[in-house]
Amino acid sequence: MSANVPSVIDIGLNLTHKSFQEDLLEVVERAKQADVDRMILTGSSVEGSQDALNLARRYSGTMFSTAGIHPHHAADCQTDSLTILRQLAQEKLVVAIGECGLDYFRDFSPREAQRSCFRRHLDLAQELQLPVFLHERDAHDDFLSLLEPAMPDLKGAVVHCFTDSPAVMQAYLNLGCYLGITGWVCDERRGEALRQSVPLIPDDRLMIETDAPYLMPRDLPQSPKSRRNEPCHLPHIGREIASLRNQSYERLAELTTRNTERFFELPKPENTTS
Ligand SMILES: [Zn+2]
């Protein structure tokens, strides 16, 4: 780890994905070398949330996890699944409910099932007083109409992988949401709307994530052979965000770390010898 470079926290990545099976140790080591000192593993199904927690236990102090059912899997959201998620969510390393929300772009689960699954996650988060880690794609109106009445009793809400325009951003900010920004921002063409939003996000609502192994930043200096994204690319994403915001990388790292620690109530890293 380099001296004087502030560390960053990846708030959303899928390290239990099968593409990391062969070389997880190296992936984690590369992240550490890149000053990505903590990671929050996304749970997107009952089994996936259990796996994420198991991995977080192996790297206790560095990794945390979330517990939830992605809208793609909403059709599997039964009463038993909620019971298991409730148990998982009582573990100290589980720091949020999610990922949960609505995805009308892919529509992998029927919309009514998505809405009811989302509502149950919001109820659970309120009951346990944990923040929610949210996913929304092409479902803005329904999403807001479910989220808005829940907000006053929620501990906090972050819209992960936010990619939209300033108008949509403003609607989330008005509700009190945080925004998670990924390497989508590194794509000048596809990320155009997002690149207009990023400079307007208040300092105290911004967090950063890779969504690895997905969403590989388009403009890495030496394009790796594999299309698999990794947590070690988070500083690259952070630098792009900082430059769009006219901030130094150091400032961005510091404020996103502070936001993340506060939002998820993360303990300070155990080993701060660097
Ligand atoms: Zn998502």
Side-chain angles (χ1 to χ4, degrees):
M1 281 163 281
S2 16
N4 304 321
V5 178
S7 57
V8 281
I9 307 175
D10 192 342
I11 68 154
L13 72 171
N14 308 274
L15 278 190
T16 58
H17 189 271
K18 57 183 180 321
S19 66
F20 291 117
Q21 235 165 45
E22 302 291 313
D23 62 346
L24 182 65
L25 282 175
E26 286 126 80
V27 170
V28 173
E29 185 53 33
R30 273 196 291 275
K32 212 167 136 193
Q33 292 302 326
D35 298 295
V36 179
D37 78 339
R38 280 166 289 170
M39 304 172 220
I40 302 176
L41 311 176
T42 307
S44 49
S45 64
V46 168
E47 211 194 350
S49 301
Q50 179 70 68
D51 291 347
L53 173 59
N54 288 341
L55 183 56
R57 283 193 177 120
R58 279 170 49 201
Y59 290 91
S60 177
T62 303
M63 293 187 195
F64 304 87
S65 69
T66 70
I69 300 174
H70 191 284
H72 289 346
H73 309 298
D76 305 331
C77 183
Q78 310 298 337
T79 304
D80 311 359
S81 349
L82 263 296
T83 308
I84 302 172
L85 290 181
R86 180 179 288 106
Q87 282 165 2
L88 291 176
Q90 318 223 343
E91 298 288 329
K92 229 176 78 201
L93 293 176
V94 177
V95 293
I97 296 297
E99 101 175 75
C100 59
L102 303 175
D103 191 315
Y104 293 176
F105 177 68
R106 302 242 187 241
D107 272 329
F108 284 159
S109 277
R111 292 184 177 182
E112 190 41 51
Q114 292 192 38
R115 287 189 288 267
S116 107
C117 181
F118 183 28
R119 216 175 288 119
R120 295 168 97 166
H121 280 74
L122 294 171
D123 289 345
L124 182 61
Q126 290 175 338
E127 177 195 323
L128 301 176
Q129 280 299 293
L130 282 171
V132 281
F133 187 84
L134 301 170
H135 171 107
E136 182 261 315
R137 194 144 183 221
D138 287 1
H140 192 60
D141 291 348
D142 278 7
F143 186 83
L144 278 189
S145 71
L146 288 168
L147 183 60
E148 188 168 12
M151 273 312 275
D153 298 313
L154 280 173
K155 188 92 198 274
V158 57
V159 178
H160 114 96
C161 191
F162 176 79
T163 57
D164 268 306
S165 65
V168 179
M169 176 199 73
Q170 200 53 55
Y172 284 137
L173 291 175
N174 291 347
L175 274 190
C177 295
Y178 286 65
L179 301 170
I181 306 298
T182 61
W184 189 279
V185 75
C186 300
D187 188 325
E188 286 193 16
R189 206 163 30 88
R190 192 173 64 159
E192 205 193 318
L194 175 60
R195 292 168 66 89
Q196 286 168 23
S197 297
V198 158
L200 307 172
I201 303 174
D203 279 350
D204 60 357
R205 299 288 188 90
L206 176 65
M207 297 194 260
I208 54 175
E209 52 175 326
T210 59
D211 204 28
Y214 313 111
L215 297 182
M216 171 78 111
R218 267 274 175 87
D219 61 340
L220 287 176
Q222 48 300 61
S223 193
K225 275 174 231 111
S226 131
R227 295 299 304 153
R228 183 187 71 175
N229 193 9
E230 285 191 24
C232 68
H233 298 317
L234 189 64
H236 173 87
I237 297 167
R239 283 181 196 283
E240 185 67 23
I241 295 171
S243 100
L244 287 168
R245 292 169 63 81
N246 259 320
Q247 284 173 328
S248 68
Y249 176 71
E250 288 67 25
R251 169 95 182 107
L252 182 98
E254 183 207 313
L255 71 90
T256 54
T257 296
R258 198 187 321 123
N259 291 342
T260 305
E261 286 176 341
R262 184 181 64 238
F263 181 87
F264 293 102
E265 295 190 351
L266 300 187
K268 297 273 178 201
E270 283 153 22
N271 181 3
T272 44
T273 48
S274 63

